[in-house]
Amino acid sequence: MEIKKGRCLCSKVNYQISAEPVATRICWCRDCQYLAANGTVNIVVLSTELNIEGSLKMFAKTADSGNVIERRFCPDCGTQLFANSSARPQFTVVRVGTLENPSSVNPSAKIWASSAPAWACLDAEGEQRSQQPGTPQIQPKI
């Protein structure tokens, strides 16, 4: 397992992930489109495997799924780094663009595809869900 590292734009928030992601997805929900002016590429990691250095601000909103999503971002540069859902507190969503090596992960699914604009490039390969998928399954450590 390669430790994944990332940071915000101004480098005042840094993080490390010490376990493989449990999911890698492109999200087309309307909230992600507002955040990124596009879909967002995210990895889902166990919250206990994420170590964060630096201060974060938080914004909470009820998503289309009905879950409360807490988005955390750098208070200085505004980079949106993490999100947590009230339905799955054991997981943290990490924005792939904030990784030192974003090419180290490959999205395997597109979610909330029904919300994608007509011009969105939805690759035919991989899983595609019209809305939110179920809870990711964790592989036991051997």
Side-chain angles (χ1 to χ4, degrees):
M1 158 61 219
E2 165 196 349
I3 292 180
K4 295 185 183 326
K5 296 178 182 182
R7 64 175 180 83
C8 66
L9 184 61
C10 70
S11 298
K12 290 184 179 174
V13 178
N14 292 275
Y15 65 88
Q16 290 186 357
I17 302 166
S18 57
E20 290 295 327
V22 296
T24 307
R25 304 171 174 156
I26 301 172
C27 183
W28 285 98
C29 77
R30 285 298 293 141
D31 287 349
C32 282
Q33 290 180 55
Y34 282 113
L35 289 167
N38 208 333
T40 61
V41 182
N42 310 299
I43 57 176
V44 179
V45 301
L46 286 169
S47 299
T48 56
E49 302 297 328
L50 175 64
N51 181 39
I52 303 167
E53 296 176 1
S55 297
L56 294 165
K57 287 196 82 161
M58 190 267 300
F59 173 75
K61 181 181 182 288
T62 301
D64 290 340
S65 64
N67 300 319
V68 175
I69 308 298
E70 292 182 345
R71 291 179 176 82
R72 294 180 288 159
F73 55 94
C74 174
D76 291 319
C77 68
T79 301
Q80 210 266 327
L81 296 152
F82 313 111
N84 294 87
S85 171
S86 59
R88 298 170 189 88
Q90 71 274 32
F91 298 114
T92 297
V93 172
V94 178
R95 303 296 181 208
V96 168
T98 66
L99 290 171
E100 285 182 1
N101 182 8
S103 294
S104 67
V105 296
N106 188 20
S108 60
K110 281 114 0 229
I111 63 173
W112 288 97
S114 61
S115 300
W119 50 259
C121 297
L122 297 175
D123 186 350
E125 290 190 29
E127 180 183 6
Q128 183 166 304
R129 299 281 187 123
S130 63
Q131 295 186 340
Q132 181 70 28
T135 302
Q137 300 300 310
I138 303 168
Q139 300 299 320
K141 291 183 181 180
I142 298 175

